[in-house]
Each structure stands twice: as C-alpha cells, then as structure tokens.
Amino acid sequence: MEVSKVKGIGPKALSLLSKIGISTVDDLVTHYPFRYEVLKRTNLKEAEEDAKVIVDGRVESVPILLRFKANLTKLNFRLVTPDGVVGISVFNRAFLKSNLTIGTNVIVIGKYDKKKNVITASEVKFGTLGNHERIEAVYHLTNGLTNKSMATYINTAIMMNKEGITDYIPEYLLEKYKFSNKRTALNIVHNPPNMEKLKEASIRLKYEELFAFMFKINFLKEEKRRQDGGIERHVTKEELESFIKTLPFELTNDQKKATFEILKDMNQNTKMNRLLQGDVGSGKTIVSFLAMYINYLSGYQSALMAPTEILAIQHYYNIREIFKDVPIRIELLTGSTSKKDKEAIYRGLEDGSVDIVIGTHALIQTDVIYHSLGLVITDEQHRFGVNQRTNLREKGILPDVLYMSATPIPRTYALTIYGDMDVSIIKEMPKGRMPIKTKVRKENEITLVLEDMYKELQQNHQIYVIAPLIEESENSDLTNVLELRDKMRLAFGAHYKIDIVHGKMASGAKELIMNEFKQGSINILISTTVVEVGVDVPNATMMVIFNAERFGLSTLHQLRGRVGRSNLQSYCILISDSDAKRLQVMEKTNDGFLISEEDFKLRGHGDLFGTKQSGDMTFKIASLNQDYKILIQAKEDSLKYLLDSTKDEDLLKQELIQSVHQS
Ligand code: ADP
Ligand code: MG
C-alpha cells in the first residue's frame, strides 16, 4: 500500500519520505529506529549543582511569560515532581504557554540550579516517565523531517487497518514461538514500554526478516536441485589419480579431498554448484585444472574466467604446462586478442575443437557460442558478484559451475550468500611453507626498508612494491608508482632491474612486464593493486606496501599473499604513518579468516563482497553479526515450511515464492 494512504502524509511529507527510500506503508513501519534514547528520572535530592537532569511531573502554576528585548522570552512555571516542587524556566519557546495548563504531565530535561531549585529546560516533552524510565526511538531522517513527525507517521501507519503490513511468519510458527502479532511487535519497537519488551519484539521481527530471506535462498536452492539436465560423467578415481601422479608436486590432503568432491559432483546427473574456498596461496588453481581434466575426459568444453587479464594470462601458461602431455586444445581469449585470433577461437568453440578457453568473464557475457560447454570456473569469485549464474541461465546453458574464492567468508555469510552452494575448503598450505613475516614501518624508516629489500635482492629474490596511485596527483600526497620507480632506480638501479605495471597500461605491455617478472629478469616490480589477486611468482619473497592505511585488511592480505609461495622465508612491509592499530592485525596473523572478520568489524560487509552484493545483504533489523542463532533457526524453519507440501495452498507461501521471482 502506498504511503500516501496514511493519514497526515501530504505531498511535502511524501517527497521527504521518498528521499529516504520510503514509498510504501511497509517501508514506513519497518523504518526502524537506529538507536534509542533512554530517559531516566533523576533523583533531584542527589543531583549535583548544575547537573543535567531529567524530571517529570504535573504543572502546578500557570506559566508566566516574560519578554526581554531582542526577541528573548522566558516561560516560568512550577512543576510537582516525585522529589518535590521545582521551578522550570524555558527560554524562547513562548508557544508552549497555551499547552502548559495546570495539571498537564510533562518531562523536562535541563540544567539544575540547585541553590535556586530551578531547572533551565533544554527540552520539554509531554507525558510521564512512568515508573522508571522512558525509551524514545531515534530515527534516520532527512532535512525537513523531524524525529517527532517521523514517529507520528509511523504510529499512524501502524494503527491503520492492518492491510498494509504483511506478516511473513506462518501461523503455526507464531504459535510455536509464542510470538506476538506483527502490529503489536512493531508498536513496541517504535514505542518501547521497557527494555525487556523491546528485546522480545525485536527478536520476533528479526526472525521474520531472516525467515523470509532464508525462504528465498532455500527456494532457489531447491529450484536448482529440481532442474534436470545435469551432465552425468563416468570418470573413475583411478583415471584421475594416474593424472595427478604426473603433477610437479604432491597434492595436499585438502586439495585431494576437494578434487574428489568435485569428481563426485561431476559424475552425478545433477548440476555442480560448488564453491572452492581457500586462503591465498593454498593452491586452488590446480584443483580447478583437475576439474577441467575430468570435464575434458568426458568430452566437454571448459571455460575459466579470471577477474583480470594478467591473471587469465598466468592461468593460461600454467595450464599449458600442466597439460603439456595431454592432446588438448587450450586458448586464451582476452580484450587484447587480435580480431583474427578471436574469430578463430570463436569458431573453435562453436565447432568443439577448442577444449578449454581461459579469459575474463566476458567469456560468458558476449555472444560466444559453445559446442558443448560442460564446466565454468570462476577464479576469485568475490570480485564478480553473484549475477553470473543468471547470465548463464539466460543463455540457456547450464553447465557445472565451480567458484574459487580466497576471501574467507564468516560462516554466517557463507550460509546466506552462498546458502545455495556446496562448499569445499582448503585449509592446509602446501608443505614446507613458512609463515610470512609482517612488519609495520613509519615513512621515516624508509632506509630500514631499503636495507631489508637489499638483503632479498642480494639473494636473487624478487620484490613487489605497491603504491595507491599511478602518478602524481594535485589533490593528494599519496605515494605513486612513477615516483617510486625513480627512487628505487636511484637506490638499486645500478645492479637490479626495476619496472612498473599498472591498470592504465595496454594489456600487451602488462603481459610483457609480468612475464619478465615471472622469468626473473625484473627484480623489483612496482605497481598499483593490479597484482592484488592471483599472480603467482614463487621467487618473489618481499611485498612492500606504501600508504598501507589506504587499503582494507582483506586487500592487504590478498597483496601479501603474492609472496610466501615457496619454501623461502617471505616478508611483508607495511609503510604507514597512521592507522597503526588496524595494521597491527596484519603483523599478528596470517590467517585470512581472522583478518576478514576483523575487516568486517571495522568496515562492514559491503566491502567484503563488493558493492554488487551488499544490496542483497542489507537487513532492516537483523544483524548477521549478532543474530546468528536466529538465522540458523529461521533457515531450518523456512526449509521445513518450503518442503511441507500440505502448506502449498498457504497464501503466505505463495506470496513468498512470488517475491523470489520478483527480486
Ligand atoms: P591460490 O589458492 O591463492 O590461487 P595458487 O593456486 O596460485 O594459490 O597456488 C600457489 C602456489 O602454490 C603455486 O605456485 C602453485 O603451483 C603452488 N602449489 C599448489 N599446490 C601445491 C602443492 N600441493 N605443493 C606445492 N606447491 C603447490
Ligand atoms: Mg588463485
């Protein structure tokens, strides 16, 4: 129901409300207070001279209005409070006079002049504090809208007939949990009589919100499960194992486990929808190559999508190396592939002669036609957002899907965002890895940093240096890549090769530099965060990051993950003059999971997943951080409700299902 139907909301209020996203009655009544103000009665006898006090009582004398020059007015009256009679002075609010008739109950907040027994009021409200205290809702507002008018609109809307307000909790669950009806709960949350009732009502509304959310997630998951047409493959464990034996290293147990989970999925006649999660450097790539091998043995095409071209190129070279003895056609398709090559690759994909194609996610967005696409792999999934599945579905192809992500996702998020996926986790690092040593340094300690760098260079190890900017900028004194190149060349240029790579370079040039760095002919590579994800150069043992305060902890962790990829001791140096406390988290731990939780606490979830997803994750009253238990219960209950066919006629159930298709 439109919010204009609420009594008292005219065109002006309508436009103000729309500014803060309120257009329906539902929006209005779920515009929850962002905090509460607790007004507690002060014991005047114990109050100190000039203390801020809150009292309530009855007006005992007709207010006297005094006028001074220059628009100054003062209203004086006596108030009978539980602690005795006290004088009240209110400045410049003459208009209150007519309402302050004898016997009126008011709450006064102000400064107490104990000697004169007078309170100079900063606020006068009508009503009483009840037995102990009064809790007031404080709302997010916009210019022109007062807290009071907002409260009035909301309360009017709640009191109106209940049509505009949908309750998403089915009857039997309301009974089971002895939840109040929705209007009662809303009324309490907006006008809490006490903390206990407020808590009760919030839990009920949180549960409802999470119930509706999890219902959708569960519905999508079930829908996917029901869709037929999954590819049933017949690859044996032995076939796969004999290929694994040809790899240049032994897989870790976690890698093996993930690989066989994938094999099982792919051999089943239902579609795989699996997230492969593992900290940076844990070795996810090889697992994805093995998935492609399974797919290849079954005669299907695979597509591997990387978030950056640099990464796509790296995967391309790696996979060619891994499959060098397998008669398989692998192609690289990026923005800089020549038109002629592109056309040849398109043809190969259409006629089936290309087995594996590696590129950026344009691979599934353009009009590429596949002969028999059986597997799509997405690297660094957190970079993309969640919409690619829809892309695939819209193209009418439903291959098996494997997502890889290094962003460790707190369990609540895994449950919600990835609630419709199976998850494999690689916890174990490849054998022989030493934890990276991390150190935070001040800018004036640069000589110490250079000394540390020199030690690594002398041992023929390579170094990444990161700066937040590419070039000098008028409105910022952050370190930039070009400036660092000149400085580093001055310090080390006589003996070592120093070069740069950044996002504004043509991709051919980028590729060239990355290759030289990989081959070891560049000793120091200076760049922006383009190397953040995935780049793999085991001989690089030092990561130096300038203006480290500019980066989120998760980003820093990703950057740091570029080193420590061999048995060599690696180092990470964070240079910053501010934000020391936050950066110390990096010194203390190499555990990406802890770091992402810390990041989350500091920056909220929006940042963890990129803006695309944050929209889906915004709850009005529930907080995934705090309401984990409610979430679990809501997940379980909503699944039961969904699967219970005797409830299929429920109007509520039908409405919930409809809302899935709308969003
Ligand atoms: P990420 O999980 O961050 O994508 P990669 O797949 O890039 O990590 O692997 C990091 C490095 O570890 C690569 O150089 C890779 O070849 C190597 N590696 C992967 N698995 C193993 C293993 N089981 N033993 C030794 N090295 C491994
Ligand atoms: Mg990777």
Side-chain angles (χ1 to χ4, degrees):
M1 196 199 293
E2 293 305 307
V3 76
S4 56
K5 298 268 160 60
V6 177
K7 213 176 120 220
I9 296 186
K12 183 157 168 272
L14 209 57
S15 89
L16 287 172
L17 289 172
S18 82
K19 268 194 198 158
I20 43 176
I22 297 174
S23 59
T24 67
V25 170
D26 233 11
D27 296 338
L28 183 62
V29 297
T30 57
H31 186 69
Y32 296 114
F34 76 96
R35 67 181 178 85
Y36 293 93
E37 199 161 30
V38 181
L39 305 180
K40 230 185 171 118
R41 181 183 297 142
T42 315
N43 183 335
L44 282 182
K45 298 197 177 88
E46 287 167 11
E48 313 225 327
E49 178 69 35
D50 282 344
K52 187 185 173 196
V53 296
I54 301 171
V55 298
D56 64 341
R58 239 173 338 98
V59 176
E60 198 203 39
S61 65
V62 177
I64 297 167
L65 182 64
L66 304 172
R67 283 189 190 277
F68 305 93
K69 57 185 172 187
N71 308 331
L72 186 64
T73 67
K74 185 176 169 187
L75 210 50
N76 283 335
F77 63 95
R78 285 197 310 277
L79 191 71
V80 186
T81 78
D83 294 332
V85 179
V86 62
I88 308 289
S89 299
V90 195
F91 284 98
N92 285 341
R93 259 172 284 174
F95 58 87
L96 283 175
K97 183 174 160 63
S98 56
N99 292 319
L100 290 169
T101 51
I102 291 177
T104 309
N105 286 316
V106 293
I107 300 163
V108 174
I109 303 173
K111 207 162 101 177
Y112 186 38
D113 182 335
K114 200 157 187 171
K115 283 191 209 100
K116 291 188 192 151
N117 191 30
V118 168
I119 297 172
T120 304
S122 55
E123 239 180 292
V124 177
K125 299 166 187 280
F126 294 92
T128 65
L129 289 172
N131 275 339
H132 306 285
E133 59 189 23
R134 181 161 140 163
I135 307 168
E136 290 205 337
V138 185
Y139 296 101
H140 278 301
L141 301 165
T142 181
N143 236 343
L145 205 57
T146 63
N147 202 64
K148 196 172 165 188
S149 52
M150 179 61 95
T152 310
Y153 299 149
I154 290 172
N155 287 322
T156 315
I158 295 174
M159 289 315 144
M160 280 175 26
N161 58 39
K162 69 186 244 199
E163 275 163 53
I165 306 168
T166 321
D167 186 349
Y168 292 100
I169 306 179
E171 284 286 335
Y172 74 101
L173 287 171
L174 284 177
E175 277 165 32
K176 178 177 170 196
Y177 295 117
K178 303 203 168 52
F179 280 149
S180 58
N181 74 44
K182 182 151 183 184
R183 276 169 90 207
T184 309
L186 285 172
N187 192 25
I188 291 174
V189 161
H190 289 289
N191 311 281
N194 57 53
M195 281 300 176
E196 206 176 307
K197 284 251 161 61
L198 171 60
K199 193 169 170 212
E200 232 174 73
S202 316
I203 289 176
R204 185 248 186 255
L205 295 170
K206 285 171 174 187
Y207 175 87
E208 179 188 353
E209 188 169 39
L210 293 169
F211 180 87
F213 180 80
M214 289 314 301
F215 185 93
K216 288 186 199 179
I217 297 272
N218 285 326
F219 181 83
L220 290 172
K221 191 171 182 173
E222 284 307 308
E223 191 180 50
K224 208 167 309 137
R225 190 170 294 173
R226 279 195 303 270
Q227 276 164 355
D228 48 7
I231 302 166
E232 190 176 332
R233 298 177 183 75
H234 304 279
V235 176
T236 64
K237 242 182 138 169
E238 291 68 33
E239 274 175 288
L240 188 55
E241 266 163 354
S242 71
F243 180 68
I244 290 175
K245 286 207 188 85
T246 70
L247 298 178
F249 42 70
E250 188 171 348
L251 294 183
T252 63
N253 286 327
D254 282 353
Q255 284 173 320
K256 277 184 209 153
K257 190 162 166 256
T259 304
F260 287 107
E261 280 167 353
I262 289 168
L263 176 67
K264 196 171 159 216
D265 282 359
M266 292 180 70
N267 277 343
Q268 256 163 21
N269 66 355
T270 48
K271 255 176 278 335
M272 171 166 77
N273 191 38
R274 187 169 283 278
L275 171 70
L276 177 59
Q277 201 182 306
D279 212 341
V280 272
S282 63
K284 295 181 291 293
T285 316
I286 191 71
V287 175
S288 75
F289 290 175
L290 291 169
M292 289 194 265
Y293 184 71
I294 297 166
N295 194 45
Y296 158 76
L297 286 182
S298 321
Y300 290 94
Q301 295 172 302
S302 304
L304 169 59
M305 303 187 293
T308 64
E309 212 170 317
I310 290 184
L311 208 55
I313 294 163
Q314 173 183 296
H315 283 323
Y316 175 68
Y317 287 116
N318 282 344
I319 198 168
R320 296 234 317 205
E321 185 57 31
I322 295 288
F323 288 158
K324 61 180 185 296
D325 299 324
V326 183
I328 190 168
R329 184 170 164 203
I330 305 168
E331 295 290 354
L332 175 68
L333 189 63
T334 71
S336 47
T337 308
S338 74
K339 203 172 163 223
K340 194 166 140 252
D341 288 349
K342 241 181 220 165
E343 275 162 11
I345 296 171
Y346 286 154
R347 245 179 287 124
L349 287 171
E350 193 167 355
D351 68 22
S353 60
V354 171
D355 300 295
I356 292 179
V357 63
I358 302 198
T360 50
H361 62 314
L363 282 186
I364 56 161
Q365 283 176 342
T366 52
D367 323 309
V368 189
I369 298 165
Y370 290 88
H371 181 256
S372 56
L373 184 63
L375 175 66
V376 171
I377 298 173
T378 312
D379 194 9
E380 307 297 347
Q381 154 70 13
H382 64 287
R383 280 302 185 94
F384 287 121
V386 280
N387 301 329
Q388 37 178 295
R389 265 175 291 162
T390 332
N391 276 334
L392 284 171
R393 192 169 302 149
E394 275 162 9
K395 293 184 70 161
I397 26 178
L398 287 159
D400 284 330
V401 183
L402 179 67
Y403 305 92
M404 293 190 272
S405 174
T407 306
I409 294 146
R411 49 188 186 154
T412 36
Y413 296 95
L415 251 177
T416 49
I417 295 191
Y418 295 125
D420 57 345
M421 292 188 195
D422 298 307
V423 182
S424 296
I425 297 177
I426 305 183
K427 280 214 178 105
E428 192 185 359
M429 288 285 168
K431 271 200 206 80
R433 293 283 166 82
M434 282 184 272
I436 302 163
K437 291 186 178 156
T438 301
K439 177 98 195 129
V440 181
R441 291 253 188 229
K442 292 255 183 296
E443 278 175 39
N444 62 17
E445 294 177 310
I446 188 75
T447 7
L448 295 175
V449 176
L450 293 175
E451 276 169 25
D452 286 343
M453 289 175 71
Y454 188 56
K455 277 186 214 148
E456 290 308 301
L457 291 171
Q458 276 181 311
Q459 299 180 59
N460 270 325
H461 299 160
Q462 292 160 279
I463 302 176
Y464 293 101
V465 177
I466 307 287
L469 295 182
I470 297 175
E471 55 199 357
E472 205 174 331
S473 147
E474 261 177 45
N475 31 29
S476 158
D477 50 2
L478 294 173
T479 320
N480 68 71
V481 169
L482 294 179
E483 157 199 0
L484 278 181
R485 176 188 59 191
D486 297 342
K487 285 189 179 158
M488 294 287 162
R489 280 188 177 160
L490 219 55
F492 303 116
H495 302 285
Y496 299 102
K497 189 163 178 214
I498 295 148
D499 221 321
I500 59 172
V501 62
H502 57 72
K504 280 195 191 154
M505 279 163 67
S507 65
K510 263 192 279 189
E511 185 183 343
L512 213 68
I513 302 276
M514 286 314 296
N515 260 332
E516 279 184 47
F517 189 63
K518 253 194 132 119
Q519 253 105 61
S521 54
I522 293 176
N523 306 90
I524 302 178
L525 182 66
I526 306 170
S527 81
T528 50
T529 52
V530 290
V531 297
E532 182 198 335
V533 288
V535 177
D536 186 44
V537 181
N539 187 50
T541 56
M542 185 173 275
M543 167 66 67
V544 182
I545 304 172
F546 282 82
N547 293 115
E549 75 279 357
R550 302 290 299 183
F551 303 103
L553 292 181
S554 295
T555 303
L556 291 173
H557 181 65
Q558 289 282 333
L559 285 168
R560 176 169 66 180
R562 299 308 107 219
V563 298
R565 299 183 151 247
S566 67
N567 296 351
L568 304 168
Q569 175 63 56
S570 288
Y571 305 89
C572 172
I573 303 177
L574 304 173
I575 303 173
S576 175
D577 278 352
S578 54
D579 223 3
K581 197 147 177 251
R582 189 173 67 99
L583 295 176
Q584 271 163 16
V585 176
M586 301 294 296
E587 283 181 335
K588 279 189 219 122
T589 182
N590 275 302
D591 182 337
F593 189 85
L594 280 179
I595 288 170
S596 87
E597 295 229 308
E598 208 55 43
D599 215 12
F600 163 75
K601 273 190 221 147
L602 293 165
R603 293 155 63 110
H605 57 71
D607 228 66
L608 208 56
F609 302 107
T611 39
K612 263 192 194 156
Q613 280 156 350
S614 59
D616 314 349
M617 296 293 293
T618 318
F619 292 99
K620 284 182 164 172
I621 190 165
S623 143
L624 290 183
N625 215 11
Q626 285 156 26
D627 303 322
Y628 184 65
K629 283 198 183 130
I630 306 178
L631 176 70
I632 296 294
Q633 194 63 52
K635 180 183 161 77
E636 206 176 286
D637 292 344
S638 61
L639 184 62
K640 272 198 202 131
Y641 184 54
L642 175 67
L643 297 181
D644 183 350
S645 57
T646 67
K647 302 233 160 46
D648 284 353
E649 301 293 308
D650 256 21
L651 283 179
L652 174 60
K653 190 162 173 178
Q654 287 169 13
E655 186 169 337
L656 280 165
I657 289 171
Q658 217 166 20
S659 77
V660 178
H661 291 300
Q662 277 160 7
S663 60

Short mmCIF file of all heavy atoms in Angstrom, two decimals, residues 470-471 501-507 509-510 528 530:
data_model
loop_
_atom_site.label_atom_id
_atom_site.label_comp_id
_atom_site.label_asym_id
_atom_site.label_seq_id
_atom_site.Cartn_x
_atom_site.Cartn_y
_atom_site.Cartn_z
N ILE A 470 49.00 5.87 -9.45
CA ILE A 470 49.89 5.62 -10.58
C ILE A 470 50.87 6.78 -10.71
O ILE A 470 52.08 6.61 -10.78
CB ILE A 470 49.10 5.47 -11.89
CG1 ILE A 470 48.19 4.25 -11.80
CG2 ILE A 470 50.07 5.36 -13.07
CD1 ILE A 470 47.28 4.08 -12.99
N GLU A 471 50.31 8.00 -10.76
CA GLU A 471 51.18 9.16 -10.94
C GLU A 471 50.82 10.24 -9.95
O GLU A 471 49.82 10.14 -9.25
CB GLU A 471 51.06 9.68 -12.36
CG GLU A 471 49.62 9.98 -12.71
CD GLU A 471 49.38 10.04 -14.21
OE1 GLU A 471 50.34 9.91 -14.97
OE2 GLU A 471 48.22 10.24 -14.59
N VAL A 501 54.07 -1.80 -13.43
CA VAL A 501 52.88 -2.26 -14.14
C VAL A 501 51.68 -1.62 -13.44
O VAL A 501 51.66 -1.47 -12.23
CB VAL A 501 52.80 -3.81 -14.16
CG1 VAL A 501 52.69 -4.39 -12.77
CG2 VAL A 501 51.61 -4.28 -15.00
N HIS A 502 50.73 -1.17 -14.25
CA HIS A 502 49.52 -0.59 -13.65
C HIS A 502 48.33 -0.70 -14.60
O HIS A 502 48.50 -1.00 -15.78
CB HIS A 502 49.76 0.85 -13.21
CG HIS A 502 50.21 1.75 -14.31
ND1 HIS A 502 49.37 2.16 -15.31
CD2 HIS A 502 51.42 2.29 -14.58
CE1 HIS A 502 50.03 2.94 -16.14
NE2 HIS A 502 51.29 3.03 -15.72
N GLY A 503 47.20 -0.42 -14.08
CA GLY A 503 45.95 -0.63 -14.80
C GLY A 503 45.76 0.19 -16.06
O GLY A 503 44.99 -0.18 -16.94
N LYS A 504 46.50 1.30 -16.18
CA LYS A 504 46.29 2.13 -17.37
C LYS A 504 47.16 1.69 -18.55
O LYS A 504 47.06 2.24 -19.65
CB LYS A 504 46.59 3.59 -17.04
CG LYS A 504 45.45 4.27 -16.31
CD LYS A 504 45.63 5.77 -16.34
CE LYS A 504 44.66 6.47 -15.40
NZ LYS A 504 45.19 7.75 -14.95
N MET A 505 48.04 0.73 -18.31
CA MET A 505 48.91 0.27 -19.40
C MET A 505 48.12 -0.62 -20.35
O MET A 505 47.18 -1.29 -19.96
CB MET A 505 50.07 -0.54 -18.82
CG MET A 505 51.20 0.31 -18.27
SD MET A 505 52.29 -0.63 -17.19
CE MET A 505 53.04 -1.76 -18.31
N ALA A 506 48.55 -0.61 -21.62
CA ALA A 506 47.93 -1.51 -22.59
C ALA A 506 48.21 -2.94 -22.14
O ALA A 506 49.25 -3.22 -21.55
CB ALA A 506 48.53 -1.27 -23.97
N SER A 507 47.28 -3.84 -22.44
CA SER A 507 47.45 -5.15 -21.83
C SER A 507 48.63 -5.92 -22.41
O SER A 507 49.24 -6.73 -21.72
CB SER A 507 46.16 -5.96 -21.94
OG SER A 507 45.91 -6.21 -23.28
N ALA A 509 51.51 -4.64 -23.05
CA ALA A 509 52.66 -4.17 -22.28
C ALA A 509 52.67 -4.80 -20.89
O ALA A 509 53.71 -5.21 -20.38
CB ALA A 509 52.61 -2.65 -22.16
N LYS A 510 51.48 -4.88 -20.30
CA LYS A 510 51.36 -5.50 -18.98
C LYS A 510 51.86 -6.94 -19.02
O LYS A 510 52.63 -7.37 -18.17
CB LYS A 510 49.88 -5.53 -18.57
CG LYS A 510 49.47 -4.40 -17.68
CD LYS A 510 48.09 -4.63 -17.07
CE LYS A 510 46.98 -4.28 -18.05
NZ LYS A 510 45.64 -4.27 -17.50
N THR A 528 50.32 -0.76 -8.87
CA THR A 528 49.13 -0.48 -8.07
C THR A 528 48.57 -1.85 -7.69
O THR A 528 49.23 -2.85 -7.87
CB THR A 528 48.10 0.29 -8.91
OG1 THR A 528 47.93 -0.41 -10.14
CG2 THR A 528 48.58 1.69 -9.18
N VAL A 530 46.90 -3.87 -9.11
CA VAL A 530 46.58 -4.84 -10.16
C VAL A 530 47.15 -6.22 -9.86
O VAL A 530 46.68 -7.21 -10.40
CB VAL A 530 47.03 -4.41 -11.58
CG1 VAL A 530 46.21 -3.27 -12.08
CG2 VAL A 530 48.51 -4.13 -11.62
#
